[in-house]
Amino acid sequence: MSVKYIPVQWNSNKYLYDLVMLCGVALFLYVFLYAAPGLLSHERPINPQVHNARAFGACAFVMLTVILCIGPLARLDTRFLPLLYNRRHFGVMTVFVALTHASYIVDWYFAFSMSDKYEALLFANTSYGQLQGFPFEAFGIFALIVLIILAATSHDFWMKFLTPPVWKRIHYLIYPAYLSVVAHVSFGVLQDQQNHVFTAIFLAGATAVGGLHLVAALAERRRAPAPAADTAEWIDICDLSQMREGFAKIRLLPEGDRVAVFLHEGRLSAISNACAHQNGPLGEGRIIDCLVTCPWHGFQYDVRTGRSPAPFTEKVPTYALRLSGSTVQVDPRANPPGTPVEPVPVSGSGTAEAGV
């Protein structure tokens, strides 16, 4: 089995991102374990094993909540985009924290069982027919398995091997995993809580994830309502006066794809907004000498052809454009990736159209 892929090089931003994450995890664990044990429901004497398990479990839940908040925050405000670009590092670190939590649980609660501790984890409680005492461990096991799968397939190799659309669909499993964590905490941890500080943190986190996704979806719909597929022959992008030299306008198309329309050296060109590498937002990239650079990992494409410069072979779909008066319009039917399209000159106006 082999596949060609181009590894992403680490840079100072990635090192800084990971350093901040590590410091954040260390600070959370320190506060949970040593600075505020009374505040976090540790009035009753508990052994260090259980104490550590709770700390790492709470940390994993908070990290997963932050991960799921980054996406909608980046859609609402572009200043959050740097957090989005390296979010996979966040996810991998969350898996290690969650595994540490699971290890403490297995090594304490099930280590004294007559049977193997892993078998005891699965079969010690089978009261699936009742809410009180429901085996909430099953939710945690499911979430942990999903997180491990996502972390293991987060490398660029799997992105290239599976193709970005399939890879993206697999990583949508993060949502059922989060719901499973919510159920795990709801059925398990909260049943044993005497102090409700963590209950408040848990509810605030889950509400933030749901609320931010809803707000981002509504804001996105207001910004770029998708026209009906059966009426969308040519889609209005914007007035020509709104285009800026070297920048793009991004538009949601009826089938759900996004097109990026660029103005470069007085001519208009349109390509898919999704980078062939990791679906990065090409419309937010810089354009130099007809090449737009993906802001995520630096892949480049000629906006006239959708092709990466030699020796690279990546391609993205292109789109036909026309000017109707001063309105920039795009044909929503994407050309095959790498199809050259003659740019539309903006001087002279009238009705000009790009041909393949």
Side-chain angles (χ1 to χ4, degrees), residues 206-227:
T207 303
V209 171
L212 280 173
H213 276 78
L214 179 61
V215 171
L218 293 175
E220 205 163 49
R221 185 177 292 276
R222 283 197 298 271
R223 281 199 298 267

Side-chain angles (χ1 to χ4, degrees), residues 263-288:
L263 175 61
H264 178 62
E265 296 181 345
R267 297 190 298 176
L268 297 167
S269 298
I271 60 176
S272 168
N273 189 53
C275 178
H277 176 222
Q278 290 184 357
N279 286 347
L282 293 178
E284 298 172 13
R286 293 181 59 193
I287 183 168
I288 300 175

Side-chain angles (χ1 to χ4, degrees), residues 221 224-237 251-257 330 332:
R221 185 177 292 276
D230 57 349
T231 61
E233 294 184 358
W234 286 89
I235 306 296
D236 292 347
I237 300 298
R251 183 75 157 88
L252 180 65
L253 298 177
E255 300 299 328
D257 297 324
V330 64

Side-chain angles (χ1 to χ4, degrees), residues 10-20 82 85-86 89:
W10 283 49
N11 53 42
S12 59
N13 289 335
K14 292 184 182 296
Y15 286 120
L16 179 61
Y17 191 98
D18 290 353
L19 178 62
V20 171
Y85 296 159
N86 297 297
H89 290 212

